[in-house]
Amino acid sequence: MLKKMVQQKVSIKQMSSPIGMAPVLGDQVRQGSWYLLLFYTALISLNLGIFNLLPIPILDGGLILLLFIEGTLRRDIKREIKERVYQVAFVFIVLFAVVVIFNDVAKSSLGHTLHLGSLARVLHLG
């Protein structure tokens, strides 16, 4: 999915934050479909685990990558360089979360009331 997003074959609007996932899980609870509720919960957990293993420095996959690089170089990377890499990664993660949450709110009834969909189109957020 991330590869397709980079190639611009898939829109970021297809990603959901907890705000976008809550109505789906709520529908399963109201319908009494405990099997599907557990399935969706497991699917969310699996997706979070996979996302955490991406080689983004602030995540576990990034830490593994950084340790691999240090092991290959056979020396520690300077602390200042690590700090800058972590800062950039943190900003990337926060901006990604803000865009995904904004898109979820824009798709919701509150977003339609506030006309956030048109704002998202103006800002080219998906």
Side-chain angles (χ1 to χ4, degrees):
M1 174 100 172
L2 288 175
K3 180 181 175 183
K4 289 181 181 181
M5 283 178 59
V6 170
Q7 296 172 344
Q8 295 183 347
K9 293 181 180 177
V10 175
S11 173
I12 196 167
K13 286 187 175 186
Q14 290 183 328
M15 306 216 45
S16 288
S17 69
I19 293 170
M21 293 179 225
V24 174
L25 295 175
D27 290 342
Q28 299 308 317
V29 170
R30 281 189 289 282
Q31 293 174 5
S33 178
W34 293 103
Y35 172 75
L36 283 176
L37 176 65
L38 289 175
F39 174 76
Y40 284 131
T41 305
L43 195 60
I44 290 168
S45 180
L46 180 65
N47 281 319
L48 282 173
I50 291 169
F51 186 78
N52 195 32
L53 287 175
L54 290 175
I56 299 170
I58 205 164
L59 303 176
D60 289 341
L63 183 60
I64 293 168
L65 178 65
L66 213 53
L67 290 172
F68 177 76
I69 291 170
E70 286 181 344
T72 303
L73 296 174
R74 296 184 183 263
R75 63 180 175 86
D76 286 344
I77 296 173
K78 291 181 182 177
R79 192 184 73 167
E80 295 82 18
I81 294 173
K82 283 184 188 178
E83 287 175 358
R84 290 292 175 206
V85 168
Y86 284 134
Q87 288 171 351
V88 169
F90 179 74
V91 169
F92 169 77
I93 293 289
V94 169
L95 286 175
F96 178 74
V98 166
V99 169
V100 172
I101 290 170
F102 179 82
N103 284 333
D104 278 346
V105 171
K107 289 186 267 186
S108 71
S109 58
L110 175 64
H112 292 296
T113 303
L114 297 175
H115 304 291
L116 293 179
S118 56
L119 179 61
R121 284 190 297 277
V122 169
L123 296 175
H124 303 290
L125 296 177

